[in-house]
Each structure stands twice: as structure tokens, then as C-alpha cells.
Amino acid sequence: MTLDALVSLADLTLGVFPDFSWLSSLVETATGWVGLAIIFVYSFLIAFALPGVSEIVLAAPLDLGLSRGARLALIILVSGAGKSAGSVFAFHIGRETKESGYFERFLARLPVDVMGWSERKAVEIAQNWGFAGLAAALCVPGFPDTLSIYAFAVLEDDYLKFAAATFVGSCGRLIVTLVGIEAIAAVI
């Protein structure tokens, strides 16, 4: 899989929600230091609201006068910081939602015990793996971050540990993606 294939995957994912396709295009053409701000904002938004693939930031053609490795490291760190900040925002929303009880009442009316199943699974992951489990879940390329973020937001209450776990997981995800792309490119 090349970066072009990754861009196509992001376009396909964001194509389901055409209102946000312009943002994917903006990331794909982000250059210069302003491009880093675009990557931060995109990563922030994808953590709690946007559908799509967060890995698209790796395709940003930033022209910063840096080596390829330094450019990718900077993209990873800025994206990780943006996603961590967005995750903390989602964490706050999740905490407020849990305290209001509205979401739980809505889910309780469904014919399937969504709340019970998701809470059991999230509690199981949280109990077995804690914040390391959140970080590991976020390292899986292509898996929707928002699901893991909101599940942990309802269960946990430590903002700092949550932010650290989402930063590590977000950076790990981009590194795993890069390693995968490089491995496939070497075979092709």
C-alpha cells in the first residue's frame, strides 16, 4: 500500500460524509508550517467527531526543508498532540454525558443491550489493560478511534493518563502504518 492508496482510502471513507471531504483534500495538500496546523486541527477533529482515516496525515506534502525522517517524525508528533487534545475533549464530553444519564436512558430503550455489552467489553479491557489497552487499541491502523476513545471516556476519570495514552496510541498507529507501507513497498 502506497501513500496514494492511503489517500484513496481516506477519500472513500470521507466520501460517505461529503461535507468533510474538503478537509481530507486540505490535509493532502498541506504544505509549510501552516500545514502542521492543518494536521493538528484534522487530528483533533478526527478524535471525537470526524469519520475517516487519521493516517491520511502521513501523505501531507509538507515542505519544511527537513529530511524525510524528520518531516514524518514532526507529522507524527503534531498529529499525536492534536488527537490527544481532541481525545481529551471527547473524554470531557463522555464524562458529561455519563453524568447527565441521557445517553444511558436512550440506550436502555433499545431492544438490544448495547450499553451492557459495550460497558462489559470496555470494562474488561480497562480492567485487564488499563490505559495501556487504550493506547494499544489506538495503534490499530484503520480502526475507528472514536469508539475506543468514548468507551474509555465513560469508564475512566484521569485526564492526564487518558491524554498520554491517546498520544502514545496515536503516534504508535502512524508508526505502525509507516512500517506497513515501507514493508509492502519493499516487496512490490
Side-chain angles (χ1 to χ4, degrees):
M1 174 183 261
T2 65
L3 286 179
D4 290 335
L6 190 59
V7 169
S8 297
L9 178 61
D11 288 340
L12 177 65
T13 305
L14 287 174
V16 175
F17 302 92
D19 295 336
F20 298 112
S21 63
W22 63 272
L23 193 53
S24 175
S25 297
L26 189 61
V27 171
E28 293 169 28
T29 59
T31 61
W33 295 100
V34 172
L36 285 175
I38 292 168
I39 288 169
F40 181 89
V41 169
Y42 177 79
S43 299
F44 179 90
L45 292 173
I46 207 149
F48 75 92
L50 288 182
V53 179
S54 61
E55 295 86 347
I56 191 66
V57 299
L58 295 172
L62 297 180
D63 184 16
L64 303 171
L66 302 171
S67 69
R68 179 179 181 270
R71 180 181 61 83
L72 288 172
L74 189 57
I75 288 172
I76 289 169
L77 292 174
V78 168
S79 178
K83 198 182 293 182
S84 182
S87 297
V88 169
F89 186 69
F91 186 83
H92 180 71
I93 292 170
R95 302 292 304 158
E96 293 296 318
T97 302
K98 180 182 178 186
E99 290 173 13
S100 76
Y102 173 78
F103 190 65
E104 284 87 351
R105 287 190 301 274
F106 169 77
L107 290 176
R109 289 190 297 252
L110 295 175
V112 177
D113 186 16
V114 173
M115 190 66 172
W117 180 83
S118 62
E119 189 170 320
R120 282 190 305 274
K121 288 297 178 188
V123 166
E124 181 181 322
I125 292 170
Q127 287 175 337
N128 291 338
W129 303 99
F131 288 104
L134 173 60
L138 292 175
C139 282
V140 179
F143 187 75
D145 299 353
T146 314
L147 178 64
S148 300
I149 290 168
Y150 279 107
F152 272 79
V154 171
L155 296 171
E156 299 293 342
D157 59 359
D158 189 326
Y159 279 83
L160 186 58
K161 287 181 182 177
F162 190 81
T166 57
F167 179 79
V168 168
S170 299
C171 290
R173 174 189 205 123
L174 296 177
I175 292 168
V176 167
T177 300
L178 277 176
V179 168
I181 289 171
E182 294 294 325
I184 291 170
V187 173
I188 295 176

